[in-house]
Amino acid sequence: MKATTRISKEERRREIIEAATREFAVGGLHGTPVAAIAKRVGVSQPYLFQLFGTKKELFIAAVRRTFERTIGTFRTAAAEAGQDAATEAVLTSMGVAYRQLLDDRRLLLMQMQAYAACADEEIRDVVRDEMLRLVNFVESASGAPEAAIREWLAYGMLMNVVAAMDLTEVDADWARIMCPVTGSALAAMAADAVGKAKRTGAEAHTK
């Protein structure tokens, strides 16, 4: 007989969250049948519910994993920029890393599904909590002023929309206006956001 390899409950949880992320990314919270998730990972529905309790609990786990991966990507990019890097350099490094992360459409669409599910109060609280963690990390890693962080995050949201519609494949002026996501464009955006924030702060202090 062939020996079978048993995996731990924690490893199985990770497998299920990964499978759930792929399914929820397409179908969302309400449109994704639990049976599809169980089939993808090769477990029974009763076992899945034994580990997660409800479909919403599994959706929340997938949301948290998605944010965790984004923050992990930012952390690595900030470290690669260097401990003594200027604010603009750190923001640019994280922006470039995020642009590459968006090539994984599963991750991108799961983000969108998380925002779409915020009509549910419990999920909305989770998404707010995860966004707080993300904003706090960007602030601490870059040292950028609030206005610059807000503009940088807004640009990141635009990148989400561009990636969701795959606008880099559209040969039209309107699409190009929306997606200047080259490294040089990100560098210029970061420098401009920090510069504007500093100027605005200086003007406020003189009034």
Side-chain angles (χ1 to χ4, degrees), residues 50-132:
Q50 179 185 333
L51 291 181
F52 289 94
T54 65
K55 181 167 76 167
K56 184 163 74 171
E57 182 181 333
L58 179 53
F59 182 84
I60 287 172
V63 169
R64 290 196 184 280
R65 176 67 186 101
T66 300
F67 273 94
E68 178 185 307
R69 185 176 173 191
T70 300
I71 294 172
T73 296
F74 286 168
R75 183 175 291 108
T76 298
E80 288 174 351
Q83 189 172 359
D84 299 322
T87 294
E88 295 90 333
V90 176
L91 290 177
T92 298
S93 182
M94 292 194 296
V96 170
Y98 186 62
R99 172 64 189 87
Q100 294 168 345
L101 189 64
L102 291 182
D103 288 338
D104 183 349
R105 291 186 63 78
R106 170 202 54 174
L107 182 82
L108 164 69
L109 295 176
M110 186 63 218
Q111 280 190 55
M112 300 300 204
Q113 295 291 1
Y115 302 138
C118 280
D120 182 291
E121 185 176 356
E122 185 179 359
I123 291 173
R124 183 167 65 244
D125 286 344
V126 168
V127 175
R128 285 176 176 175
D129 181 54
E130 293 298 325
M131 186 61 75
L132 171 64

Side-chain angles (χ1 to χ4, degrees), residues 74 131 134-135 138 148-158:
F74 286 168
M131 186 61 75
L134 188 149
V135 171
V138 171
I149 292 171
R150 182 164 53 249
E151 187 164 338
W152 187 83
L153 290 170
Y155 195 90
M157 290 297 183
L158 175 61

